[in-house]
Amino acid sequence: MRAPTAEFRAPLDGPTRYTTMDSPVGLLTLVGDGEALGALFTLAKDGSSLSVPAEWIADPAPFAEAVRQLDAYFAGELREFDLPLAPSGTEWQRKVWAGLTTIPYGETASYGQLAEELGRPTASRAVGMANGRNPISIIVPCHRVIGADGTLTGYAGGLERKEFLLGLEAGRAA
């Protein structure tokens, strides 16, 4: 693993803005404050989309660069995202999420390996819990974390999406 590629700033500040985009893994909803991305939601496993709170503002302009980078990622042309990120979480969660960005494109790591990298070799369950709460999936690549035995394990968007993303990064996406 390498140094984290993402820097997380303080959680979102100001009115919540959002936009949606189509992708090979379904409709994505990008959420932020106009300055940084705070969340990226995929369709639920059952295919339902995010219910957007009435006070959120539909505004695609602040997300133009994120959409461009996501399109390039899905086209196989981008390996590392470079976006301002502001996920909301505990200090431990944010440490784990930064650790996820150290897993290189096209590679995987186990929960235990990531725990060891974070200096807490017995914290693989805590890593798994934080990984499962990652609000910026795909960009903060929680799909690159697998079981110690090499099997695909839980993914909020469903194992078929996880398998697709890993296949995309391995150059074999359908």
Side-chain angles (χ1 to χ4, degrees), residues 41-170:
F41 299 104
T42 60
L43 291 172
K45 290 178 194 174
D46 66 5
S48 61
S49 60
L50 173 70
S51 178
V52 176
E55 66 272 12
W56 287 11
I57 302 164
D59 184 5
F63 303 101
E65 181 59 16
V67 168
R68 186 195 70 73
Q69 288 187 34
L70 282 161
D71 282 339
Y73 169 80
F74 287 119
E77 300 165 356
L78 181 83
R79 292 174 171 252
E80 265 184 41
F81 292 93
D82 183 17
L83 297 166
L85 304 175
S88 182
T90 66
E91 183 178 334
W92 170 249
Q93 288 169 333
R94 291 164 59 95
K95 186 174 183 176
V96 170
W97 301 334
L100 294 173
T101 69
T102 69
I103 305 169
Y105 179 95
E107 296 182 27
T108 58
S110 71
Y111 297 97
Q113 287 171 316
L114 189 53
E116 205 164 304
E117 285 288 323
L118 296 173
R120 300 217 9 226
T122 61
S124 59
R125 284 184 180 223
V127 165
M129 295 293 289
N131 190 52
R133 289 185 172 82
N134 172 18
I136 310 178
S137 63
I138 304 170
I139 292 171
V140 176
C142 51
H143 60 276
R144 295 181 189 154
V145 182
I146 59 172
D149 62 0
T151 58
L152 297 188
T153 57
Y155 185 66
L159 288 180
E160 64 283 345
R161 286 192 185 107
K162 182 173 188 160
E163 189 172 22
F164 173 86
L165 294 169
L166 292 173
L168 172 75
E169 293 183 8

